Amino acid sequence: MASRSDTTADANAPSQSAAHALARASFVRVVAAADGDSLSAAGLLARGLRRADVPFHVRVASLGADAPAADDGVLAAVGSTLPNADVTIAPDDEPTSLRAYEIAQALSADAPNGVADPESGSAIDPALALAGVVAAGEHPASVAGPIVETAVESGALVQRPGVAVPIDDVADDIVDGLTHSTLLHAPFSGDENAVADEFDSVLRDDADALDDEARRSVASLVALAVAGDEAATPRAATAVERALRPYATPDGPMATLGGFADVLNAVAGERPGVGVALALGHGGRNAAVDAWRTHGSAVHRALHNAHTGRYDGVFAVRSDVRAESESASDSAVAARLRTVARLARDFRSPEPVVVALGDGIAAISAIDAGAAAAASALASEFGSDGADWTGTGTRACVRFDPASTEADVIAAIREAVR
């Protein structure tokens, strides 16, 4: 049995080092952070482990979750650090999914005696890796150009006009996709009737599959709706581009790469078990899309109804992310707050740092840096038994004492990011 003392690799160690540690383990416990990038990374890692014939278990950790109590095998933390982790895959210079893709590729070559099972049905999927890159907020061609080229050459990706939605783009699906998409926020977001009215002139004659001209028209209307929104910031016109001219994924579980990323981000918090199944290639598409709809509806409703405030460098958003009479889990609440913070940063905030506030949970999103510093400061200053935080310089989430006053919390964030 591989022990914790002889199988270690830190977050920024070379991929071969992590692959070497994992390939020689008797069992690997993969614990992923509750976001789409980490979920993608966990799926890639699991596929690599299966090809290397290494038993594993994957779970998504909600904010503040402890490391597994079991002491056997190797503990791999994905997307965040964990106490006693033997392998940490949470690089500070690239998406976690990109590092996991490299490790998964190296696992086969580093399996004991070079043994790997290419017929295991666990091929290392470039589309899954690239969906994780998009979920992390990066442009795949910018940070993963060689993988994009390989995927395009193989036909796994096909760029086309239109918008990035997870479901097939017949007219009804476009309405559904734009209603719930969290790749953008516009006046029509979250309201299916408003979307249908906005795009009626383009979609009414396209009950079947849309042609490229109709797709271009939809994309143009989306861009105009975002740019023409009186509440939008100048950043919105650039931010909406990540939802336009998508890569279609003919053999993937979702219709487009951006739609796949959107679903991964949503399901990681809303229904993590379903998310794990999706990332491992075990199905769950319909359940994942249902979770994405729930997530998108809650997030857009929260943004439309939010109370906001501007505090010299910090934009605060306060709104209930639960639907009426809904008993959402803490994991779902944290995931929705993260999406609210990200969308507010990209489409609403005049300040570089956004905090979306819940009861004892806050999500922080920053244009350049400051999110991790703010989350760490809140956990330290307003800590309780359940205090914890996770994240990076541009996106973080923190649990703190719910009795803390909003003014004190915002003041602590301002001080941390000053």
Side-chain angles (χ1 to χ4, degrees):
M1 174 183 298
S3 68
R4 296 184 190 275
S5 62
D6 62 6
T7 56
T8 58
D10 67 30
N12 294 296
S15 300
Q16 291 80 3
S17 174
H20 179 84
L22 294 169
R24 281 151 181 76
S26 61
F27 188 80
V28 177
R29 298 181 183 278
V30 180
V31 180
D35 61 73
D37 180 27
S38 301
L39 184 58
S40 165
L44 293 163
L45 197 62
R47 295 176 190 220
L49 289 167
R50 184 171 292 150
R51 285 173 65 87
D53 201 26
V54 177
F56 62 88
H57 176 265
V58 178
R59 75 178 179 95
V60 175
S62 60
L63 183 63
D66 294 328
D71 215 15
D72 60 319
V74 168
L75 173 60
V78 178
S80 64
T81 58
L82 282 176
N84 303 320
D86 304 295
V87 175
T88 299
I89 306 169
D92 54 19
D93 58 348
E94 65 181 356
T96 302
S97 49
L98 193 55
R99 179 65 59 86
Y101 181 78
E102 296 168 356
I103 294 170
Q105 295 280 48
L107 263 168
S108 294
D110 201 33
N113 302 317
V115 176
D117 179 14
E119 304 301 325
S120 64
S122 302
I124 312 305
D125 183 3
L128 176 60
L130 295 171
V133 169
V134 176
E138 300 286 354
H139 193 290
S142 299
V143 301
I147 303 177
V148 172
E149 290 177 10
T150 298
V152 170
E153 289 173 0
S154 69
L157 294 184
V158 180
Q159 193 162 30
R160 60 163 174 74
V163 292
V165 293
I167 44 186
D168 292 336
D169 63 336
V170 299
D172 287 346
D173 287 342
I174 285 290
V175 171
D176 187 7
L178 289 175
T179 298
H180 302 104
S181 173
T182 69
L183 297 179
L184 59 95
H185 182 71
F188 57 71
S189 294
D191 185 337
E192 191 165 341
N193 291 330
V195 174
D197 290 344
E198 183 82 16
F199 296 91
D200 178 65
S201 62
V202 176
L203 299 177
R204 60 185 166 191
D205 296 326
D206 288 287
D208 297 322
L210 274 67
D211 59 21
D212 282 354
E213 182 179 356
R215 290 185 180 123
R216 289 190 187 93
S217 297
V218 169
S220 295
L221 288 174
V222 168
L224 288 171
V226 170
D229 184 1
E230 292 182 357
T233 59
R235 179 179 169 83
T238 301
V240 72
E241 291 178 1
R242 70 193 302 252
L244 308 178
R245 296 200 70 238
Y247 286 102
T249 52
D251 300 320
M254 305 297 163
T256 65
L257 190 67
F260 193 7
D262 203 16
V263 169
L264 287 172
N265 267 332
V267 77
E270 297 283 346
R271 295 192 62 185
V274 171
V276 169
L278 184 69
L280 266 62
H282 292 167
R285 178 187 184 277
N286 290 341
V289 170
D290 285 344
W292 163 78
R293 290 190 182 103
T294 298
H295 185 83
S297 294
V299 164
H300 290 302
R301 180 177 58 250
L303 263 176
H304 286 310
N305 298 329
H307 298 282
T308 63
R310 189 175 180 181
Y311 300 92
D312 188 23
V314 176
F315 188 71
V317 180
R318 183 65 187 250
S319 186
D320 190 356
V321 293
R322 292 181 173 90
E324 186 176 350
S325 74
E326 181 193 24
S327 56
S329 66
D330 283 352
S331 175
V333 168
R336 294 174 191 180
L337 288 172
R338 280 194 293 266
T339 304
V340 167
R342 170 175 59 80
L343 288 176
R345 178 198 67 187
D346 290 344
F347 295 92
R348 289 291 180 266
S349 175
E351 302 291 352
V353 177
V354 172
V355 56
L357 291 164
D359 293 330
I361 302 177
I364 303 149
S365 192
I367 292 175
D368 295 315
S376 177
L378 291 187
S380 175
E381 188 167 343
F382 304 104
S384 64
D385 290 342
D388 201 0
W389 73 275
T390 185
T392 67
T394 56
R395 52 193 174 100
C397 197
V398 58
R399 190 195 309 275
F400 56 94
D401 186 348
S404 308
T405 67
E406 185 173 312
D408 287 343
V409 168
I410 292 172
I413 293 173
R414 288 180 59 199
E415 182 65 27
V417 302
R418 183 171 297 173

